[in-house]
Each structure stands twice: as structure tokens, then as C-alpha cells.
Amino acid sequence: MAHLNQPTRYDIADSNIALLGSDLEKTVREHAGDKDSAWTEAGKKPGLEIWRIEKFNVVAWPAERVGSFYDGDSYIILHTYKKTPDSESLSFDLHFWLGENTSQDEAGTAAYKTVELDDHLEGAPVQYREVQGSESTRFLSYFPRFVCLRGGVSTGFHHVSSAPPPDVHRLYKISLSREANGRPHLQVREVPIEGSSLVEGAVFVLDKGPAVWQFNTKTSVGQEKFRAAEFAHSLLSEREAHKEEVPHVYDEGAPGASKFLAELGLEAMPSRSAASSKTSAPPTLYRMSDASGSAAFEPVDPPALASLSSEDAFLLDHSGSAAHPAIYIWIGKSASLTEQRLALQYAQNFAHKKQAEGGNFKVSVSLVKVKEGHESSSFIAAFVV
């Protein structure tokens, strides 16, 4: 039986985030009031600002840890920028990121406080819900090296460069994501040390403390191998006792590879593919209404920018995109206050309903709230089939 005070884990597969009028909202207000002091300087100049949720409060994430996240936590990320160098106004991307082992309270607090920060910035941000493992390319583009580690505020956490205790090993999956301009971004994700963690197409680094091993799967590419080697070297170089050591490199199918696989209880590489050959499906557009007290979605054809109306809110389902899957909620200037405040909650309800209908739909897909006049380039591009 779970301890009575143990936080409830947030399960994206079957949980929704309730905001306005919920017990969670009341608890957050009791802790921090209607306007958090953390927002005083938020969004005043271009750059990246990150906060972690700690016991219903938002706490600034240290600059030296930017790019590192923990799967037991929830975070708020604000990207402030100018659309053109000569622009006099600032634009914003506002994300809340949920680790797969975060608690229900942390996830809900992140969602609620993101709405609060959006209000503080007068509704100007494009707002995103991000779930670990399904992050948008926009989110990943902020970090030359995105690192996702196991642990969090409730369990303690470690620096990626710190050596694990003698009886603890750590396994990292290394992969690259690319922006539309082709620029690569390194993703480092800590995964369980077990055979099921290995997939073709990725590179893996096993941190044994005094020794670091790199394993290249057959279909991994040269740049992934090179960036993984950089990461493996960095682990050792930052440890005084082992900074002169070099990582051991194993290639799938080559002599010695069985030694690495044995560490994960395997005799051979699992026969699974890291990626599917998914093809893109065209987007679908819905007019959204909450006049009945709950969100209803009416199909709109054709799914075109010209179909949008300032008096309403619309949902654009672009989750079938192979490159940039997302569900967008577009808020017209005259849409209701409830539609504006609960846009992402309505989008999540839509995602859960779609999952219940079957198929390969992932409810963890990025959810994006866009206000009229502040459309993102990815939203506009989603209409081009």
C-alpha cells in the first residue's frame, strides 16, 4: 500500500490537468498568491529562463544547469526573443515540461503557473505543453545539449558529470534531433540499465564510474557516434581521478560487443527499430465551443488559415505529421475568457478522446496554444499540405 503522504505520480496516459476552480488551483494560490514574485523580471529581455516546481512554488533553475532536466520534476521554460533584429517588441515561447515520473501536484502546478505567467505577459506567448520523450523541435532547439536524467527534487539528483557510487551504474541513450535548418542538437537521456533500453539507430554510454563504455548500434550514424564520444570523454575529464582515462568503444557485431551487452543481461541486440517509417497525415481543423459548459469540436473544411474567425477558438490537429507532430489551439481575439484560459486543458481532453478511439496516437504529443496576432511559424506551416 502506498504511503499516505507519497505524491501521486502523473500518468499522461490517463490523467488530465484540471486548472480553474480545482483544489489544486486553490492550494497553489495559498502558497504563492495570485501573482508570483518569480515573474517580476520574466520576459524583460531576450534569453532563456527556466523554473522548477518545488512544493507548489516556482524556483529559478541555475544557469549552469540549463539544458539538464530530471524525469521526476516539472519545469516552466520561457524563451524571449525578437522576431527580427530591428523589432521593437519582444516575442515569447512559453513551455511547461513534465517528466515521466513527476507527481500530479507538480504537473498541475506547472500548468497553472504557466497560465499565470501567460497572464503576466498579457497573453502574448505561444504556449506549449511538453512531455518527456515527445518534446517539440522548438523546445529542443534551445539546447545545444539536452540532458534528461533520472531523479528529481523529491528524490535528490546528481550532476551528469559526477561519478556514480561504486555499486551504481548509469546508462545514457545518445541521439540527435535537427531543426528545419539542419542544425543538430544532442539529446542525452538516462535510461534504465536493462536490455529493453537498447534500440537500433542510437548510441549508448554506460557510466561505470572509473570506466565509461560507449556502444554503437549498427544503424547509428557517424555524427551520433562522434557526439556520443565527446559526451563520454566529458564524463571522465571532469573527474580528477579518471581524467586521463579514455572511454572503451564497442560496435554492435564486432568482437567484444558481447561484453557490453552482458552488462545489460543480453546475449544479442534486441530486434527492434528505434524509429518507424511514418508518413505524414493531413491536418484537420475544428471550431471549438464551450457554450454547453464543456468543450465541443465541430469539423471545419477546408483546414485553412482563411477558415479562422476572430470570434471563435479553433483546434488544429497536426498530430499526424511525421516531422513536427502537435495539436494547436488557436484563440481568436473575441473568444471567451474560459476558452483562453483553458485552451491547453481542452486540447488535452481532445487528445485523450482521440487516444480512446484507437490507433497509434500518442497522448503525449505537444500541445500548443496560439493567440490571434501571435501565430508561430510552425502553426502557419501546418496548414501547408
Side-chain angles (χ1 to χ4, degrees), residues 199-235:
V199 291
E200 279 292 351
V203 179
F204 295 84
V205 171
L206 180 63
D207 186 358
K208 296 165 63 71
V212 173
W213 295 0
Q214 176 176 333
F215 182 76
N216 304 321
T217 61
K218 282 184 179 179
T219 54
S220 58
V221 299
Q223 195 166 24
E224 281 180 332
K225 297 174 186 179
F226 176 75
R227 297 294 295 274
E230 285 185 329
F231 173 72
H233 276 280
S234 72
L235 293 176

Side-chain angles (χ1 to χ4, degrees), residues 86-330:
D86 298 329
S87 176
E88 295 184 0
S89 62
L90 294 172
S91 297
F92 310 96
D93 292 310
L94 177 57
H95 308 250
F96 64 97
W97 182 91
L98 309 177
E100 64 179 13
N101 292 315
T102 193
S103 71
Q104 180 74 55
D105 286 347
E106 289 168 341
T109 301
Y112 172 75
K113 300 300 281 186
T114 299
V115 172
E116 185 181 274
L117 179 52
D118 181 73
D119 288 344
H120 177 72
L121 295 173
E122 299 180 345
V126 175
Q127 193 175 321
Y128 303 73
R129 186 212 65 180
E130 310 279 0
V131 175
Q132 179 183 339
S134 298
E135 294 89 354
S136 66
T137 53
R138 182 67 168 174
F139 176 81
L140 293 172
S141 73
Y142 307 144
F143 313 105
R145 188 172 91 170
F146 172 82
V147 181
C148 185
L149 304 172
R150 304 179 77 187
V153 65
S154 62
T155 60
F157 50 87
H158 62 270
H159 293 280
V160 68
S161 59
S162 61
D167 60 340
V168 176
H169 295 171
R170 297 182 183 130
L171 181 64
Y172 301 97
K173 176 186 174 185
I174 315 295
S175 59
L176 292 176
S177 62
R178 293 184 181 276
E179 291 184 70
N181 62 12
R183 184 172 62 176
H185 292 268
L186 182 67
Q187 294 184 48
V188 180
R189 298 182 187 271
E190 187 176 354
V191 294
I193 303 180
E194 54 191 41
S196 61
S197 293
L198 293 190
V199 291
E200 279 292 351
V203 179
F204 295 84
V205 171
L206 180 63
D207 186 358
K208 296 165 63 71
V212 173
W213 295 0
Q214 176 176 333
F215 182 76
N216 304 321
T217 61
K218 282 184 179 179
T219 54
S220 58
V221 299
Q223 195 166 24
E224 281 180 332
K225 297 174 186 179
F226 176 75
R227 297 294 295 274
E230 285 185 329
F231 173 72
H233 276 280
S234 72
L235 293 176
L236 292 170
S237 65
E238 296 179 25
R239 300 169 186 172
E240 189 63 32
H242 307 290
K243 64 181 181 180
E244 301 301 326
E245 301 285 339
V246 295
H248 300 274
V249 180
Y250 302 93
D251 292 299
E252 182 186 353
S258 58
K259 185 177 180 180
F260 183 96
L261 294 173
E263 289 284 323
L264 279 68
L266 296 173
E267 295 182 358
M269 185 72 184
S271 57
R272 289 189 304 276
S273 174
S276 63
S277 56
K278 179 181 176 183
T279 57
S280 290
T284 52
L285 183 65
Y286 302 86
R287 178 178 281 102
M288 190 180 78
S289 172
D290 60 0
S292 64
S294 60
F297 302 95
E298 174 192 352
V300 176
D301 192 46
L305 284 168
S307 299
L308 303 178
S309 167
S310 297
E311 286 70 36
D312 296 307
F314 292 80
L315 183 144
L316 180 70
D317 182 2
H318 200 224
S319 59
S321 167
H324 308 292
I327 292 176
Y328 298 89
I329 288 255
W330 181 88

